[in-house]
Amino acid sequence: FSNALKCDKTNPKIYLLFGKWELETKNEIEKSIFLLKKAIEFNIVDPQAYEIVSKRYIEEGEIEKALNLCLKVDTDWSHFRAGLIYQRLEQHDLAVPQFQADLRFNSNRIESWDSLGYSYLILGRIMAAKQVTEELRKLGKPDIALENKIS
């Protein structure tokens, strides 16, 4: 891979494959993230790379960069993460559709239902929040605190 990079330093696929190889075969996390970031800088679209790099951006406090990556893909992790970021930014109107999209992938994800309920509550959508609490009860994971806030 390193020889391929020397020959073509602008080929995002080399950075992507090298980054994944470093992670999967050598468990070289830092080197892998560096290479995946380079691939992304060259506009490669790869959900696995986006997931790994968006986690790192969040750790580094680069919330907007993480959000931008999440919004570029339609996966089981990206909508949930985007919803949480929007909540952190207090943009609950944008968090709601992300949690709804996540629930298409993971209809039993308690965290998505719970987060959706709190966003509804903050937006003043009490009936929608109540429906979420009912769904959580059906799933066997009631959120008593959310239910008390609605009552």
Side-chain angles (χ1 to χ4, degrees):
F1 282 113
S2 57
N3 287 337
L5 274 175
K6 289 176 187 174
C7 294
D8 190 359
K9 292 182 181 180
T10 60
N11 186 335
K13 287 186 180 182
I14 296 172
Y15 288 104
L16 177 68
L17 294 173
F18 193 17
K20 286 183 175 185
W21 180 79
E22 285 288 338
L23 184 63
E24 293 166 7
T25 60
K26 293 181 155 187
N27 201 29
E28 290 281 345
I29 295 169
E30 295 306 314
K31 192 171 187 179
S32 172
I33 290 173
F34 171 80
L35 292 164
L36 295 175
K37 281 182 177 181
K38 283 298 269 188
I40 291 167
E41 286 173 18
F42 285 112
N43 295 317
I44 199 151
V45 176
D46 183 83
Q48 182 186 13
Y50 283 14
E51 181 177 18
I52 293 165
V53 173
S54 69
K55 279 184 188 177
R56 177 52 59 95
Y57 282 149
I58 291 169
E59 291 169 6
E60 294 172 348
E62 299 278 354
I63 303 302
E64 293 291 334
K65 285 183 178 180
L67 179 60
N68 287 334
L69 292 181
C70 293
L71 296 176
K72 288 183 180 182
V73 291
D74 182 28
T75 66
D76 61 336
W77 63 267
S78 62
H79 295 291
F80 180 67
R81 190 168 297 158
L84 292 177
I85 292 170
Y86 278 132
Q87 279 188 328
R88 184 186 231 181
L89 297 172
E90 297 184 15
Q91 296 177 355
H92 296 277
D93 55 324
L94 298 174
V96 165
Q98 293 300 320
F99 292 127
Q100 291 169 333
D102 178 61
L103 289 167
R104 284 192 334 245
F105 290 101
N106 304 295
S107 62
N108 293 329
R109 189 193 304 238
I110 303 303
E111 296 86 356
S112 277
W113 282 110
D114 211 32
S115 298
L116 179 62
Y118 279 97
S119 282
Y120 280 148
L121 181 64
I122 290 168
L123 292 170
R125 297 178 59 189
I126 304 304
M127 292 305 293
K130 188 167 180 61
Q131 288 175 333
V132 167
T133 62
E134 291 167 6
E135 188 61 37
L136 286 166
R137 281 205 172 272
K138 284 182 199 171
L139 293 171
K141 299 287 184 176
D143 184 332
I144 305 302
L146 180 59
E147 290 177 8
N148 287 337
K149 289 179 181 185
I150 292 170
S151 301

